[in-house]
């Protein structure tokens, strides 16, 4: 795939609960979603993605979230801009994302 090609993202109505739950079940992916709730950011600046991990691992984590419909990954200069699809997730599964993020925050305390 050419780096500047647009990556596929599911339409809102195609986002499936099982895919979202699977994407959020991984600690690293959930940490990334926690960070993205504050707003979009470049993939290179996401502290939730372990910089010591291989690039392929970081890319895989983002791919799982993107294919599940949890985030949007768009080309932004030479980087990828990651955005949480909060409105789409809330429209499909009201309260789910907030519940998961609150539960994760409570476990971290």
């Amino acid at each position: 795939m050419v780096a500047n090609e647009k990556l596929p993202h599911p339409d809102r109505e195609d986002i499936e609960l099982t895919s979202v739950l699977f994407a959020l079940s991984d600690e690293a992916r959930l940490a990334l979603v926690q960070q993205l709730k504050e707003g979009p950011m470049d993939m290179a600046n996401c502290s939730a993605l372990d910089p010591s991990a291989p690039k392929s691992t970081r890319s895989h984590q983002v791919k799982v979230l993107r294919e599940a419909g949890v985030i949007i990954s768009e080309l932004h200069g030479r980087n990828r801009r990651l955005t949480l699809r909060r409105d789409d997730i809330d429209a499909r599964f009201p309260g789910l994302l907030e519940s998961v993020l609150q539960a994760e925050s409570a476990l971290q305390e």
Side-chain angles (χ1 to χ4, degrees), residues 10 15-16 19-20 23 63-71 85 89:
I15 297 173
E16 298 178 356
S19 297
V20 171
K63 178 183 176 186
V64 170
L65 289 167
R66 176 182 52 79
E67 289 180 344
V70 177
I71 65 170
R85 293 181 68 177
I89 298 297

Side-chain angles (χ1 to χ4, degrees), residues 11-59:
D11 292 329
R12 176 185 280 190
E13 61 274 2
D14 295 329
I15 297 173
E16 298 178 356
L17 180 61
T18 54
S19 297
V20 171
L21 292 174
F22 174 77
L24 297 175
S25 70
D26 179 82
E27 186 176 318
R29 292 190 296 263
L30 187 54
L32 176 57
V33 170
Q34 283 279 17
Q35 192 170 14
L36 290 175
K37 76 179 182 180
E38 302 303 323
M41 64 178 30
D42 287 344
M43 186 172 161
N45 297 331
C46 290
S47 61
L49 295 171
D50 181 4
S52 66
K55 185 177 179 182
S56 60
T57 300
R58 294 188 311 256
S59 294

